[in-house]
Amino acid sequence: RTQYLARGPSFVDELNGQFVLAIWSDEGRRVVLMNDRYGLRPVRYCLTDSAVFFGPESKVIFELSQMPKTLNRQWAEELLSVGRVHLGGETLFEGVGVLPPGTILEWSGGKCRRSKYWDYTYDPVPSVDTPVINDLCGLLEQSV
């Protein structure tokens, strides 16, 4: 709490590990949701003009918000045609999203702002030619 009050949501840049944080601010009636860099603990949410509902599962959101359960047909079609779950921020239900990894969601007065505070960095090594790798490859070849 102290770090949030001193630095705002940017304090999550320095956190490590699995987390989902929800912060309520009376000032501006503001909700801030933050999750870890890999989204290891998914948080689902639904935004309305008067509130934001969130929880680890969609059923919690439906119980609290009284919104109807409507199938997200595009998501379902993609799942059935491709054979895997879409990795975007959508879910099986229309109007319910999943907070992407490394994201801060700020909601106040019916307005929502999402920002990424971290993303993967991919910097491939062109080639690795060390005796350890060569020895390991030799052992793998022998076992096959």
Side-chain angles (χ1 to χ4, degrees):
R1 177 175 181 243
T2 307
Q3 287 297 315
Y4 176 78
L5 292 174
R7 298 174 41 209
S10 67
F11 83 95
V12 296
D13 289 341
E14 296 175 21
L15 294 181
N16 244 337
Q18 299 178 23
F19 63 87
V20 172
L21 302 173
I23 298 174
W24 166 257
S25 173
D26 283 335
E27 183 181 317
R29 298 183 47 85
R30 183 172 138 187
V31 175
V32 180
L33 292 176
M34 298 170 256
N35 65 354
D36 62 73
R37 296 173 183 178
Y38 298 103
L40 296 173
R41 301 200 180 267
V43 61
R44 286 155 178 75
Y45 65 93
C46 173
L47 305 169
T48 70
D49 290 339
S50 59
V52 58
F53 300 93
F54 58 92
E57 298 178 353
S58 297
K59 67 182 177 181
V60 172
I61 293 169
F62 290 117
E63 288 175 18
L64 295 173
S65 70
Q66 305 290 315
M67 69 181 268
K69 293 178 187 172
T70 305
L71 177 68
N72 181 343
R73 191 168 176 93
Q74 181 180 354
W75 189 90
E77 288 173 1
E78 188 170 316
L79 172 66
L80 295 171
S81 64
V82 178
R84 62 177 216 178
V85 176
H86 175 70
L87 297 176
E90 297 184 28
T91 67
L92 181 62
F93 300 105
E94 197 69 46
V96 177
V98 174
L99 195 61
T103 301
I104 299 170
L105 180 147
E106 298 178 74
W107 180 94
S108 179
K111 292 185 171 59
C112 176
R113 185 176 67 131
R114 279 181 286 276
S115 57
K116 295 279 286 178
Y117 69 87
W118 186 84
D119 206 352
Y120 299 97
T121 303
Y122 180 65
D123 190 17
V125 177
S127 67
V128 178
D129 187 25
T130 64
V132 173
I133 297 297
N134 291 333
D135 290 346
L136 182 57
C137 287
L139 291 170
L140 288 171
E141 285 175 344
Q142 286 177 9
S143 68
V144 175

